[in-house]
Amino acid sequence: MSLPADFVFSQTSLQDYADCARRFELRYVQRVRWPALQAEPALEHERHLRQGERFHHLVHQHQLGIPAEALGTSIDDPVLRAWWQAYLAWPLEDLPARRWPETALSAPLGEYRLLAKFDLLAVEPGGRAVIIDWKTSPHPPPREWLAKRLQTRVYPLVLALAGEELTGGSPILPDQIEMIYWYPSGNPVRFPYTTAQFERDQAVLLQTVEDIAQRAEFPLTPELKTCAFCTYRSLCDRGERAASLDALLDAEEGSADSPPQIDLDQIAEIEF
Ligand code: SF4
């Protein structure tokens, strides 16, 4: 297997690997661009993705200091307006004052590097360091599901390994870190980090990266439902038709009987 020596891992590529080894191979090793729709109707799906991007852009501008009133006047979309109003109605009030919106950090992981692209970092040098990720699904998924997501593992790990780049050399210790997922419903999900979790995450991810680098074969996932929203499904002979946008949104939200299957906010990070 030929993973380039300068390959940079991310929560997105590691989540792809966790979901389906073949998807990782197609997307990151063979770099196959497969022009299939993820969901139909295509225009509505596209609009949904653009709404998420615009929301992140609005929040980014607000965190940089542009007044909310000035930003609000540019919103012409009711879905986006509802998210924006929720953002203003449910602020995260106890954050450290120093802010780094839309910031990327990377750290060594074995022979490779691990990258995290943060929506917002709020850091008090020598004190708390909070990672905020803006989500747009209507309600938080089950906490246990979120806890297992690679994003929840990768972001605090990278901040602990590379945070001193932000603080002028003062290390950020795992016990100072908290990860918060914000949702429009106003009930954020918080994950305090610990030294023990940091050590577990580092060991597990290092092992994962070594496994990937040594792999000769990347099998297709046996979980057929994972293929329903995968753009490679016709290439893998796992179905021709795109899923409906409603099914995609249902899969994002999950239900009492079934955990979410997909994180739409992650799709925009595939470029990483
Ligand atoms: S279609 Fe299914 S088997 Fe093929 S890459 Fe996607 S998730 Fe994996």
Side-chain angles (χ1 to χ4, degrees), residues 143-205:
R143 182 181 177 81
E144 312 76 58
W145 185 82
L146 266 181
K148 288 188 205 143
R149 301 294 292 173
L150 267 300
Q151 184 175 21
T152 311
R153 305 272 63 91
V154 165
Y155 279 24
L157 176 69
V158 171
L159 185 59
L161 290 171
E164 59 192 26
E165 287 179 30
L166 301 177
T167 59
S170 166
I172 296 177
L173 303 177
D175 295 295
Q176 295 173 303
I177 296 174
E178 182 180 33
M179 171 125 195
I180 303 178
Y181 292 103
W182 178 94
Y183 287 86
S185 50
N187 36 356
V189 184
R190 295 170 176 261
F191 290 95
Y193 209 43
T194 64
T195 301
Q197 188 65 54
F198 168 80
E199 289 171 355
R200 274 199 297 276
D201 289 339
Q202 195 172 30
V204 168
L205 293 180

Side-chain angles (χ1 to χ4, degrees), residues 1 7 24 36 47 84 124 142 150 158 161 164 179 244 257:
M1 201 274 292
F7 187 80
F24 180 92
R47 186 183 313 132
W84 177 245
E124 177 190 340
L150 267 300
V158 171
L161 290 171
E164 59 192 26
M179 171 125 195
S244 73
D257 306 326

Side-chain angles (χ1 to χ4, degrees), residues 1 12 23 45 55 74 83 94 112 121 128 141 156 165 182 185 193 195 203 212 223 231 233 247 268:
M1 201 274 292
T12 309
R23 186 191 290 168
H45 181 223
F55 175 67
S74 69
W83 291 340
D94 57 345
Y112 300 94
L121 290 174
R128 296 171 62 221
E165 287 179 30
W182 178 94
S185 50
Y193 209 43
T195 301
I212 293 172
E223 294 286 338
T231 53
R233 63 193 172 277

Side-chain angles (χ1 to χ4, degrees), residues 19-24 26 219-224 226-228 230-238:
D19 291 343
C20 175
R22 176 66 171 153
R23 186 191 290 168
F24 180 92
L26 287 168
L220 283 62
T221 177
E223 294 286 338
L224 295 186
T226 304
C227 306
C230 180
T231 53
Y232 295 117
R233 63 193 172 277
S234 58
L235 186 63
C236 295
D237 203 17
R238 290 281 174 94

